Amino acid sequence: MRIIFFFFRRRPPSSLLSSSSGAPFFRHAEPAPPGAGSAAAPRTHHCCPSASLIRPFSSSSGGGAGGLPEYEMPTVTWGVIQGRKEKLVSRVIISDYLRSLGIVPDELEPLELPSTVEVMRERIEFLQKLGLSIDDMNEYPLMLGCSVRKNIVPVLGYLEKIGVPRSKMADFIRSYPQVLHASVVVELAPVVRFLRGLDVERQDVPFVLQRYPELLGFKLDGTMSTSVAFLVAMGVRPRDIGPMVTQFPFFLGMRVGTTIKPLFELLLSLGLPKMVVARMVEKRPYLLGYDLEETVKPNVAALASFGIRREAIPMAVAQFPQILGMPLRAKLAAQQYFFSLKLGIEPEGFARAMEKLPQIAALNQAVMVKPVEFLRGRGIAAEEVARMVVKCPQLLVLRVEMMKNSFYFFKSEMRRPVAELVEFPEFFTYSLEGRVKPRHRRVAEKGISCGMDWFLNCSDRRFEERMRAEMMEREVRGPEFSMGGRLTMPARGAAVAPPPVEEEEDGDSDGEVLYRRTVSLQ
C-alpha cells in the first residue's frame, strides 16, 4: 500500500460537525506546522513530528491566545491523509480500540475520527489527565471527536484564564462537556463580556460559570437579553442585575413568556404592588426558579385552605417569600396540629398568627415551645399565653434570655401588673436598653400614668411630641403589631383619632406604604 503525505491545509469534509460560527469542531488530520518540508516527515504509517515542531500553547510561545496557561501538548497531533477504503479500515480499528477500553463508539458514527490509534490514545490520555474517567466519556462520547490542539487546549486555557481553577476543570467539563466544541473567540469570550456588562464582578464570573456552565452555550441576543430586559421593565433596578446573576444565574436561561412573566402576573394578581414584587426578586432571585403550576399556585391555595384571609395573603408573601416554594400543605398541617396540641391554640387562632408571622410555617417546634414554657413558668395561665401568642406570634422566635431580662425589669422597675403584660405582649419585642428603659424613665419623671403601649408603640418623634404636650391625649387603641408589614390602624369612629405613625405620611397609597415596609426584607 502506497501512502502519500501532503503538507498543506486541506478543507475539512462536510461530514465534520461545525460550530455556530461555521468553523469545524472536529478534525482528525491536523496539518503539519508551517515550514515543515517533505523531508521532515518520515515514511511511516503515521506522522510523528519531533518535539521541536510542537510548541506549547502558552503566552510565551506566541500560540495566538496570549496569557493562556500552558497545557502539555500531545506528541501525535495528526494522522495520515487516507483514501476512502483506508478511512473505513481505520474507523474499524479505532472502534475496536475504543471498545477494548470500555467506550461505546456508536455515537461517534457521524464524526470523522483520527486516522490512527495513536492519535485517539493520546486524546483519551489527555482527558484522563484532566480527571475524566471512561464512564464520563461514555456519558458524552462526542468529546472524543475534539482535537486536543484545536479544541480542548484553547478552551481549557481560556477557562483557566478567567478564573476557573484547574482542579475544578474536570467537574466543569463533566457538567457541560459541550464546552469543548465551543470557539473561544466567537462563543465563550462574548458570554463572559456579557456577564461583566451586567455588573457581575470579575472574581464572581468563574463562580457563576461553574454553577451554571450552560450559560456558555446561550446566544447573547436570545434568552439572556430577553430575561434581563423583562426584569428591568418590571421595576428591577439595573444595578441589582449583577448580584442577582451571582446569586441565581439560572434565571438567565429562563424563558420570559413561559416562566418569568406568569410568575410576576400571579404575584401581582394577589395584590402585591409591582414595586414590592421587583424588590422581592432583587433580594431573592431564586423565587424565579419556583415552579408555578407544581409549587406556587398550590401553596397559595394552601394558605387559603388553612384559614388565611385573602386580603392577608399578599402581606404574608411579602414578609416571607420563601413560603411560595415550600411543601406548604404538609408544613401547615404539622404546625396547626402542634399549635392545637402544645399551645392550646385553635385553627382560627393559628390562621391569625400565620397572617402576622408567616415564618411559623418553617419554625422548629422545639424553638417555639421554649418562650411559651417561659411565660407559663411565670404564673401566666395557659389560656392567656395562647392569647398572647395569637396577638403577637413574634414571641415564638424570641430568645428566652432576652425575655428573662425584660420580665425582670417589668417586675422590679416598672412594677406593673402581669395582666397588662398579657394585654400588651409586644412589650417583649422591644429593645430593653434602646427603647423600654429610656422611655419608661422619661414617663416616670413626668409622673404620667399610662399603658405601656402609649409610650412604647410609637415612633421617636411621636414620643417626643407626647412628652412636650401640656396635656396627655386620651388613650386609644394603638396600631396592631405586624412585623414587616403595614400597621393596621383602628377604626376612626372614636372621638379622638389615633396618632399618625411617623413612616406613614398623608397621601401615601397602600402600595407605597407596603413598599417602604418591605424594602428591608430579610
Side-chain angles (χ1 to χ4, degrees):
M1 181 178 63
R2 298 182 61 187
I3 302 175
I4 302 176
F5 297 92
F6 296 88
F7 298 96
F8 56 85
R9 185 180 298 273
R10 65 188 182 92
R11 297 181 61 186
S14 58
S15 61
L16 299 183
L17 297 182
S18 300
S19 66
S20 59
S21 62
F25 282 137
F26 313 105
R27 293 180 182 147
H28 81 283
E30 302 176 10
S38 58
R43 289 184 174 271
T44 60
H45 290 286
H46 62 275
C47 295
C48 290
S50 62
S52 62
L53 296 179
I54 302 300
R55 291 193 286 180
F57 194 80
S58 66
S59 58
S60 61
S61 65
L68 298 183
E70 181 177 329
Y71 279 87
E72 182 182 353
M73 295 298 295
T75 58
V76 180
T77 58
W78 58 81
V80 298
I81 304 300
Q82 298 173 316
R84 183 175 181 181
K85 177 183 286 188
E86 289 80 4
K87 286 182 180 180
L88 293 176
V89 174
S90 296
R91 177 175 288 276
V92 172
I93 296 174
I94 291 177
S95 296
D96 291 340
Y97 168 70
L98 293 176
R99 288 191 179 94
S100 69
L101 296 178
I103 300 173
V104 181
D106 296 347
E107 293 187 33
L108 299 175
E109 185 64 30
L111 305 182
E112 186 169 344
L113 300 179
S115 58
T116 64
V117 172
E118 286 80 358
V119 176
M120 180 59 76
R121 179 185 294 114
E122 292 212 3
R123 189 172 293 181
I124 292 174
E125 290 175 353
F126 187 94
L127 294 174
Q128 288 178 326
K129 288 179 181 179
L130 291 176
L132 298 174
S133 64
I134 297 298
D135 291 336
D136 296 327
M137 298 176 198
N138 271 324
E139 286 291 327
Y140 190 75
L142 296 180
M143 70 173 65
L144 298 178
C146 295
S147 166
V148 173
R149 185 182 188 88
K150 296 183 179 300
N151 296 105
I152 301 178
V153 168
V155 168
L156 299 183
Y158 181 75
L159 292 177
E160 191 167 345
K161 178 183 177 181
I162 64 176
V164 178
R166 185 172 294 198
S167 59
K168 301 290 185 181
M169 206 65 72
D171 294 331
F172 193 99
I173 297 174
R174 204 174 285 120
S175 300
Y176 185 61
Q178 293 88 342
V179 72
L180 297 178
H181 309 315
S183 165
V184 172
V185 176
V186 177
E187 295 170 291
L188 304 187
V191 171
V192 173
R193 288 195 297 268
F194 179 82
L195 295 176
R196 293 287 292 125
L198 296 179
D199 285 342
V200 177
E201 297 293 337
R202 188 180 302 277
Q203 65 270 18
D204 292 332
V205 170
F207 169 77
V208 170
L209 293 180
Q210 288 179 78
R211 193 175 181 194
Y212 192 36
E214 288 85 353
L215 284 177
L216 294 172
F218 293 157
K219 294 182 178 180
L220 303 185
D221 55 352
T223 304
M224 291 196 295
S225 297
T226 306
S227 301
V228 172
F230 177 81
L231 292 175
V232 172
M234 293 302 295
V236 175
R237 292 169 290 200
R239 66 175 180 270
D240 289 320
I241 294 293
M244 288 175 61
V245 172
T246 303
Q247 184 180 354
F248 188 74
F250 306 98
F251 76 86
L252 291 177
M254 296 178 180
R255 293 187 177 274
V256 171
T258 59
T259 305
I260 301 178
K261 185 178 179 182
L263 179 62
F264 267 80
E265 290 175 345
L266 175 66
L267 295 176
L268 295 175
S269 68
L270 295 178
L272 286 164
K274 182 178 176 181
M275 195 181 304
V276 172
V277 176
R279 299 295 88 80
M280 287 169 55
V281 173
E282 285 177 1
K283 291 182 176 294
R284 298 179 181 84
Y286 55 82
L287 297 177
L288 299 172
Y290 291 161
D291 187 277
L292 184 63
E293 299 297 332
E294 297 293 331
T295 305
V296 179
K297 287 183 178 180
N299 283 355
V300 173
L303 289 173
S305 67
F306 277 85
I308 287 83
R309 293 169 294 186
R310 177 67 177 80
E311 61 272 15
I313 290 179
M315 184 64 69
V317 172
Q319 292 185 54
F320 189 53
Q322 298 94 316
I323 203 171
L324 295 176
M326 300 171 57
L328 191 58
R329 190 170 293 276
K331 290 279 189 180
L332 292 181
Q335 299 296 57
Q336 188 185 68
Y337 179 76
F338 170 78
F339 267 57
S340 177
L341 182 65
K342 297 295 185 179
L343 308 185
I345 297 175
E346 297 300 322
E348 183 179 355
F350 172 75
R352 302 292 80 79
M354 274 290 301
E355 292 175 358
K356 298 173 184 176
L357 188 70
Q359 290 87 345
I360 287 174
L363 288 180
N364 187 290
Q365 294 178 357
V367 173
M368 290 190 288
V369 77
K370 290 181 180 179
V372 173
E373 292 176 347
F374 168 78
L375 294 174
R376 290 175 178 175
R378 297 305 177 271
I380 303 176
E383 297 79 8
E384 293 179 333
V385 172
R387 186 153 51 92
M388 293 171 67
V389 170
V390 173
K391 187 176 182 181
C392 181
Q394 286 76 17
L395 292 173
L396 299 175
V397 298
L398 295 178
R399 293 175 55 192
V400 173
E401 292 77 10
M402 297 178 61
M403 296 180 69
K404 285 181 180 179
N405 294 335
S406 297
F407 187 81
Y408 177 79
F409 183 80
F410 175 83
K411 293 292 291 183
S412 62
E413 298 292 334
M414 301 180 73
R415 301 180 184 277
R416 292 173 177 265
V418 176
E420 189 173 354
L421 195 61
V422 174
E423 293 300 321
F424 189 66
E426 293 89 343
F427 166 79
F428 288 104
T429 66
Y430 294 111
S431 170
L432 182 61
E433 300 296 333
R435 175 169 290 201
V436 177
K437 286 185 177 180
R439 290 195 180 187
H440 166 70
R441 288 165 183 161
R442 292 278 302 278
V443 170
E445 290 172 359
K446 291 189 67 94
I448 300 175
S449 178
C450 60
M452 290 191 298
D453 60 337
W454 185 85
F455 66 89
L456 289 179
N457 191 20
C458 61
S459 65
D460 291 338
R461 187 184 69 180
R462 186 60 180 168
F463 177 74
E464 292 299 330
E465 291 176 353
R466 288 178 174 180
M467 292 297 100
R468 291 194 302 266
E470 295 295 332
M471 57 178 294
M472 188 179 74
E473 59 190 8
R474 192 174 71 181
E475 189 171 346
V476 296
R477 183 170 64 89
E480 182 180 350
F481 184 86
S482 180
M483 181 179 291
R486 186 185 181 190
L487 299 181
T488 304
M489 303 301 294
R492 299 253 174 175
V496 179
V501 180
E502 179 181 6
E503 292 83 0
E504 300 179 16
E505 301 293 341
D506 294 339
D508 284 349
S509 66
D510 289 349
E512 292 171 339
V513 173
L514 182 58
Y515 160 67
R516 288 201 303 272
R517 295 286 184 178
T518 55
V519 160
S520 58
L521 289 171
Q522 60 183 9

